[in-house]
Amino acid sequence: MNDDLPSVIAATAGELAPGHLRTWCRVLRAADRPSRSVEAALLEARPGYALGGVARRLVTAWRQSGATGESIALALEAAGTVSREHSAHRSTVVASGPLSEAVPVRLTSQVALEVIREATSSLLIVSFAAHGVTEIVTELTATADRGVRVDLILETSVTAGGTLDGPGAAATFQALHGRGGVRFWHWPQARRPALGRSRAALHAKLIAADERTALLGSANLTDRALKENLEIGVVLREPAAVRSLVRHFRSLMRAEHGPLEPLG
């Protein structure tokens, strides 16, 4: 990556979510000059993101330029507008656990919430395991309350014909049971291929907002997977690819074909 100010601003705009970018611009406008305290203020403004290297590069490039905080904020806003238009069909990497400043990525836990919030008519969630994730449950409740159709395809316990040793993943979303517009799905044992003494598992992990945006990766819907485990994923903003993923699962949910069936 080039360290000149225009290159750093363009790269920074591409790595920040819109709300995050606006927050950083407010910090920059309030700053007289670049300093370590400004760098710290950028990180403290929106905690929970692995962007230490990004803030450091921005402040370093600013220090070498002699520009004002107002001009840096204005340039960052302009670059953000261009980046959003460009990213409408761009995929981005997300990660959990250990992160590297060499390749800035966004945290799975935050991106999962953002994708859920993007849904306007339908939301499809697929996960093997689920545990905890209070913020996810709260966001799903709000999503259902604003009229979005929510389908959760989840693995079940061994006793219910699935492959989870503990409770089925649907137990985590107990608050959503019976709520209008929310349906739970599972893969019945009778419809699973036998693999020796066991059967195939429902192991996919997907969050898809409408047919426009999808988070696809290795992380289950558990606090550990979204934040602490070493996990990797990608956000797809390519409508054709997202449409294919969503329609694949919806075809598996058709009553006349299966193999997925409503749970409960």
Side-chain angles (χ1 to χ4, degrees):
M1 178 186 297
N2 292 331
D3 291 329
D4 59 282
L5 184 59
S7 297
V8 171
I9 287 176
T12 301
E15 291 159 4
L16 299 179
H20 206 141
L21 187 145
R22 289 192 294 270
T23 301
W24 275 29
C25 286
R26 286 196 294 269
V27 172
L28 292 168
R29 284 195 167 94
D32 295 328
R33 59 184 183 277
S35 64
R36 288 188 177 275
S37 61
V38 172
E39 182 181 324
L42 292 173
L43 297 178
E44 292 171 1
R46 291 292 292 269
Y49 290 78
L51 292 170
V54 178
R56 191 172 306 114
R57 282 194 297 272
L58 178 61
V59 171
T60 299
W62 177 16
R63 183 179 294 112
Q64 296 170 352
S65 73
T68 65
E70 174 66 32
S71 61
I72 296 296
L74 182 61
L76 191 58
E77 287 172 337
T81 299
V82 173
S83 177
R84 285 193 297 275
E85 292 176 354
H86 177 69
S87 67
H89 303 289
R90 186 181 67 185
S91 299
T92 54
V93 174
V94 301
S96 306
L99 300 174
S100 167
E101 291 185 356
V103 183
V105 295
R106 303 188 59 211
L107 298 183
T108 308
S109 57
Q110 298 299 322
V111 175
L113 292 169
E114 290 175 11
V115 173
I116 291 171
R117 290 173 188 141
E118 286 188 28
T120 59
S121 60
S122 65
L123 181 70
L124 176 67
I125 292 184
V126 189
S127 187
F128 172 68
H131 185 267
V133 293
T134 303
E135 287 184 297
I136 296 287
V137 174
T138 299
E139 199 60 49
L140 289 177
T141 301
T143 299
D145 287 347
R146 56 188 170 86
V148 175
R149 170 189 172 183
V150 179
D151 290 290
L152 297 105
I153 304 173
L154 303 165
E155 180 60 304
T156 49
S157 65
V158 172
T159 56
T163 61
L164 289 175
D165 291 331
T172 296
F173 306 99
Q174 186 65 38
L176 294 169
H177 283 272
R179 188 175 291 270
V182 178
R183 295 192 74 181
F184 289 81
W185 301 81
H186 72 131
W187 190 6
Q189 185 181 49
R191 294 194 171 195
R192 301 187 186 213
L195 303 171
R197 294 185 177 181
S198 62
R199 292 186 179 273
L202 194 167
H203 206 250
K205 293 94 175 179
L206 171 70
I207 301 176
D210 306 318
E211 293 187 349
R212 298 176 290 104
T213 306
L215 171 58
L216 183 67
S218 63
N220 285 304
L221 289 177
T222 68
D223 291 328
R224 181 171 294 180
L226 293 180
K227 298 177 181 179
E228 298 171 2
N229 288 354
L230 205 169
E231 309 273 3
I232 197 73
V234 63
V235 179
L236 298 176
R237 298 188 183 279
E238 302 170 35
V242 176
R243 190 178 305 118
S244 294
L245 285 168
V246 172
R247 293 185 179 182
H248 168 68
F249 278 100
R250 297 222 181 272
S251 71
L252 300 179
M253 296 155 65
R254 289 187 295 176
E256 65 273 22
H257 296 291
L260 302 179
E261 293 181 357
L263 180 63

